[in-house]
């Protein structure tokens, strides 16, 4: 198992601990999706906290080293399309949940892992955290709703810089543009989290849940299946991806 659910004081902690930097392969994504389904059945839970159990790294995004099959374009297309669809479905579950989802970043957050973070209702980070969308570098496409969420959580200008220009944004920059609600020092994160969770737990759960419902009615994400097919109909993506994986 690469994902654990830890229940504590009406909280559900979803902890990610897959070796190789929590890279998202198909089995890992299935585990995460199943854990969310399980948490959704727990009526007594007030908050769901998603965090990495690996020090200094949150997630390196899709596991292209495993999903990319050399000399087999059909299988590569199938693997990546399946992974992107799974991330999209995870995002939909989080956005549509009655629970309040809290994401805590503690290091690098790349590609589709950024999408999952952006789907959560409240997002915090340590000051060594940063995000990166490398799709334009390897010829891919963040078609799991992540770009939609980035625009709606921050701005079109930020989406241009992060998505088109391959810029890496650190936690302080992301705090200023609304992606993260708070940023704290790495060695103070556990204390900060506990204070923040205790503060939130004093609120009305029903009120929070219904407020989330109203907010998320304004959020639209799309699984970009047609555009993904355009990507994988091109020889460029296989050449670029092969180079990217080698580096």
């Amino acid at each position: 198992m690469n994902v654990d659910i830890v229940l504590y004081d009406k909280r559900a902690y979803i902890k990610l601990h897959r070796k190789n930097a929590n890279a998202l392969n198909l089995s890992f994504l299935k585990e995460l999706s199943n854990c969310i389904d399980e948490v959704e059945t727990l009526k007594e839970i007030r908050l769901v906290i998603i965090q990495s159990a690996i020090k200094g790294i949150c997630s390196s995004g899709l596991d292209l080293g495993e999903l990319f099959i050399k000399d087999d374009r059909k299988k590569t297309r199938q693997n990546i399309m399946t992974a992107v669809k799974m991330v999209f479905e995870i995002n939909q579950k989080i956005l549509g949940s009655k629970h309040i989802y809290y994401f805590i970043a503690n290091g690098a957050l790349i590609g589709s892992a950024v999408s999952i973070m952006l789907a959560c209702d409240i997002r915090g980070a340590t000051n060594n955290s940063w995000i990166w969308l490398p799709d334009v570098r390897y010829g891919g496409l963040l078609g799991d709703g992540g770009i939609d969420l980035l625009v709606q959580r921050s701005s079109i200008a930020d989406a241009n810089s992060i998505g088109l220009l391959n810029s890496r944004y650190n936690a302080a920059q992301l705090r200023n543009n609304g992606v993260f609600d708070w940023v704290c020092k790495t060695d103070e994160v556990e204390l900060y989290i506990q204070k923040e969770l205790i503060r939130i737990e004093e609120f009305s759960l029903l009120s929070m849940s219904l407020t989330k419902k109203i907010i998320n009615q304004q959020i639209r994400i799309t699984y970009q299946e047609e555009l993904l097919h355009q990507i994988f109909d091109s020889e460029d993506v296989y050449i670029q991806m092969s180079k990217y994986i080698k580096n």
Side-chain angles (χ1 to χ4, degrees):
M1 296 291 291
N2 300 300
V3 186
D4 291 331
I5 298 175
V6 178
L7 302 180
Y8 174 75
D9 195 21
K10 296 185 180 181
R11 305 171 194 163
Y13 290 85
I14 297 178
K15 299 196 173 186
L16 314 178
H17 56 88
R18 183 182 180 229
K19 291 182 179 179
N20 300 324
N22 281 326
L24 305 173
N25 66 356
L26 298 181
S27 61
F28 188 27
L29 287 168
K30 182 64 174 175
E31 279 187 55
L32 177 55
S33 183
N34 288 342
C35 283
I36 291 173
D37 289 340
E38 183 177 342
V39 166
E40 289 303 300
T41 68
L42 304 175
K43 295 182 180 179
E44 71 277 13
I45 293 299
R46 295 177 61 87
L47 295 173
V48 182
I49 300 97
I50 300 178
Q51 62 184 147
S52 169
I54 301 175
K55 187 176 181 180
I57 181 70
C58 208
S59 173
S60 59
L62 293 185
D63 190 347
L64 295 178
E66 182 175 318
L67 299 174
F68 180 83
I69 308 300
K70 187 178 179 180
D71 301 323
D72 192 337
R73 294 187 178 186
K74 183 177 180 181
K75 185 62 175 176
T76 296
R77 176 197 292 245
Q78 179 182 338
N79 283 345
I80 296 178
M81 293 276 293
T82 299
V84 172
K85 183 67 177 295
M86 291 175 75
V87 174
F88 172 74
E89 290 171 349
I90 287 170
N91 292 340
Q92 282 189 309
K93 290 179 182 181
I94 293 172
L95 289 166
S97 173
K98 292 182 180 180
H99 295 318
I100 303 302
Y101 275 75
Y102 209 125
F103 193 101
I104 301 166
N106 63 331
L109 199 60
I110 299 172
S112 287
V114 176
S115 302
I116 295 172
M117 177 270 291
L118 288 168
C120 293
D121 306 296
I122 307 171
R123 301 164 300 279
T126 56
N127 58 4
N128 67 330
S129 300
W130 50 272
I131 72 169
W132 181 37
L133 302 182
D135 299 82
V136 293
R137 178 168 296 221
Y138 71 80
L141 178 70
L142 196 69
D144 54 25
I147 295 176
D148 304 298
L149 288 166
L150 181 60
V151 171
Q152 293 171 87
R153 298 295 196 199
S154 55
S155 68
I156 291 175
D158 291 325
N160 280 337
S161 181
I162 297 171
L164 292 179
L165 301 181
N166 208 225
S167 302
R168 300 188 187 195
Y169 271 41
N170 63 40
Q173 292 170 306
L174 296 165
R175 171 66 181 90
N176 291 332
N177 68 11
V179 170
F180 288 128
D181 296 291
W182 55 261
V183 176
C184 72
K185 294 180 180 179
T186 303
D187 59 356
E188 297 176 356
V189 65
E190 291 303 325
L191 180 61
Y192 193 98
I193 291 168
Q194 292 308 315
K195 287 183 178 179
E196 181 71 2
L197 295 181
I198 290 170
R199 184 180 73 86
I200 291 173
E201 285 169 339
E202 294 177 353
F203 302 162
S204 164
L205 180 60
L206 178 59
S207 178
M208 290 180 72
S209 180
L210 294 179
T211 299
K212 168 179 175 170
K213 184 175 182 179
I214 295 171
I215 292 170
N216 287 354
Q217 284 175 349
Q218 315 305 317
I219 294 177
R220 298 287 182 269
I221 63 171
T222 306
Y223 172 54
Q224 300 290 352
E225 184 173 9
E226 182 179 343
L227 297 183
L228 285 165
H229 279 298
Q230 288 185 38
I231 286 285
F232 288 107
D233 285 342
S234 167
E235 184 178 0
D236 178 67
V237 66
Y238 302 98
I239 295 172
Q240 293 293 109
M241 197 176 298
S242 180
K243 292 177 180 177
Y244 177 81
I245 292 171
K246 285 179 182 179
N247 292 332

